[in-house]
């Protein structure tokens, strides 16, 4: 097994280092990079506008890092009168480390679907509240749309921006194939589509779609099947521990 990890730095580099420690052959080629979001300066005001028992949702570790850094730089603190929700355990623990406040997150899985099953987020519990979603540029609308259906007034704060990293598709595909890559780790639908588009038709049919693909949700597995992959493993969630278990 020769593994290509496409998740961004630093998580991708950390995963490759751990795999190599375990004796695996692994390479890192990130497909996206991150930068501060366009609405970070507005974050203190958006948080201050919330009322007691309103909701703050944190959708990734990157949202935590950029948001917390912005608050520290502006001499502000996370308010202690709202309820905080994280997309999953890893993001929740990082958020708790940043603000020492209670963070609610699903015990299994790291998807909007799983988050929305929590009893505290059912219509009778949240109708009439405000919710602020901390996220990157773009992304899925399922969480916001469902919260609105449940009677919540939803707003966003773009805390970070994802930008694609560009490669020469033919040259990079040839290099990956020569390296013996036969297992791919992809952690978002955006990156899966980007990888598929990057690789030219010849390498797509002769190499890419024959690789084992490791993804982090059934939703991604469904997308992968639609694109033409046949051998797909679904990790329990998106953290590196779960990915290593899926790769064993």
């Amino acid at each position: 097994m020769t593994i290509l990890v496409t998740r961004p730095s630093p998580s991708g580099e950390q995963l490759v280092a751990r795999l190599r420690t375990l004796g695996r052959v692994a390479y890192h080629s990130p497909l996206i990079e991150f930068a501060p979001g366009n609405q970070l300066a507005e974050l203190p005001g958006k948080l201050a506008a919330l009322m007691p028992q309103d909701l703050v949702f944190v959708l990734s570790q990157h949202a935590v890092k950029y948001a917390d850094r912005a608050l520290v730089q502006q001499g502000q603190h996370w308010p202690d009168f709202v309820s905080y929700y994280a997309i999953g355990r890893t993001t929740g623990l990082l958020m708790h480390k940043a603000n020492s406040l209670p963070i609610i997150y699903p015990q299994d899985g790291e998807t909007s679907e799983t988050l929305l099953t929590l009893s505290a987020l059912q219509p009778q519990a949240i109708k009439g509240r405000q919710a602020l979603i901390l996220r990157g540029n773009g992304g899925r609308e399922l969480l916001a749309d469902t919260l609105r259906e449940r009677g919540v007034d939803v707003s966003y704060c773009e805390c970070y921006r994802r930008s694609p990293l560009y490669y020469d598709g033919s040259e990079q595909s040839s290099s990956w194939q020569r390296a013996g890559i036969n297992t791919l780790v992809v952690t978002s639908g955006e990156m899966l589509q980007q990888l598929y588009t990057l690789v030219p038709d010849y390498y797509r049919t002769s190499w890419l779609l024959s690789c084992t693909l490791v993804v982090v949700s059934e939703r991604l597995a469904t997308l992968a099947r639609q694109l033409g992959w046949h051998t797909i493993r679904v990790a329990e969630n998106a953290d590196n521990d779960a990915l290593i278990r899926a790769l064993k």
Side-chain angles (χ1 to χ4, degrees):
M1 179 188 293
T2 301
I3 304 162
L4 176 66
V5 175
T6 65
R7 77 180 318 174
S9 301
S11 297
E13 293 162 326
Q14 292 164 355
L15 177 56
V16 166
R18 290 180 62 183
L19 287 168
R20 288 175 175 172
T21 298
L22 293 170
R24 302 301 179 96
V25 180
Y27 299 92
H28 183 222
S29 294
L31 294 175
I32 60 175
E33 61 183 353
F34 298 102
N38 291 333
Q39 295 179 304
L40 267 180
E42 303 171 27
L43 179 59
K46 288 177 178 289
L47 290 171
L50 297 174
M51 302 295 290
Q53 303 306 309
D54 281 342
L55 319 169
V56 174
F57 291 87
V58 189
L59 299 192
S60 75
Q61 297 177 64
H62 302 287
V64 176
K65 292 173 183 176
Y66 280 101
D68 189 59
R69 187 183 307 161
L71 290 178
V72 170
Q73 290 173 346
Q74 297 180 53
Q76 303 293 321
H77 301 281
W78 293 99
D80 60 5
F81 54 82
V82 298
S83 298
Y84 289 97
Y85 293 84
I87 194 70
R89 180 178 182 274
T90 305
T91 301
L93 294 178
L94 187 64
M95 186 66 172
H96 178 70
K97 183 178 179 180
N99 64 17
S100 300
L101 295 170
I103 315 294
I104 303 168
Y105 54 85
Q107 296 300 313
D108 299 307
E110 296 189 10
T111 65
S112 296
E113 289 88 344
T114 307
L115 181 60
L116 285 163
T117 64
L118 295 176
S119 59
L121 294 179
Q122 300 314 300
Q124 66 275 14
I126 59 175
K127 185 177 180 179
R129 297 189 189 180
Q130 296 183 79
L132 176 63
I133 298 177
L134 310 185
R135 67 171 189 172
N137 54 312
R140 301 174 71 204
E141 300 295 330
L142 175 66
L143 177 61
D145 289 346
T146 305
L147 290 173
R148 290 187 180 111
E149 290 171 1
R150 295 177 182 181
V152 177
D153 181 14
V154 180
S155 60
Y156 289 114
C157 184
E158 182 193 290
C159 295
Y160 66 96
R161 294 190 63 80
R162 297 180 298 271
S163 301
L165 288 168
Y166 293 100
Y167 297 91
D168 180 297
S170 181
E171 180 181 314
Q172 191 63 56
S173 299
S174 176
S175 175
W176 285 333
Q177 190 175 40
R178 288 197 309 272
I181 300 293
N182 57 15
T183 304
L184 311 168
V185 176
V186 183
T187 53
S188 78
E190 177 185 4
M191 287 188 285
L192 184 61
Q193 187 66 62
Q194 187 180 338
L195 178 63
Y196 181 86
T197 303
L198 169 69
V199 175
D201 285 343
Y202 169 76
Y203 289 104
R204 194 181 295 161
T205 55
S206 66
W207 166 71
L208 181 71
L209 295 176
S210 65
C211 291
T212 296
L213 181 66
V214 178
V215 296
V216 297
S217 70
E218 288 294 343
R219 181 179 63 85
L220 285 188
T222 298
L223 174 59
R225 293 185 193 100
Q226 292 169 350
L227 290 172
W229 270 279
H230 298 289
T231 307
I232 303 166
R233 298 181 190 173
V234 181
E236 298 163 5
N237 55 59
D239 65 39
N240 282 347
D241 289 340
L243 288 168
I244 287 173
R245 288 193 294 272
L247 286 163
K248 285 185 176 178

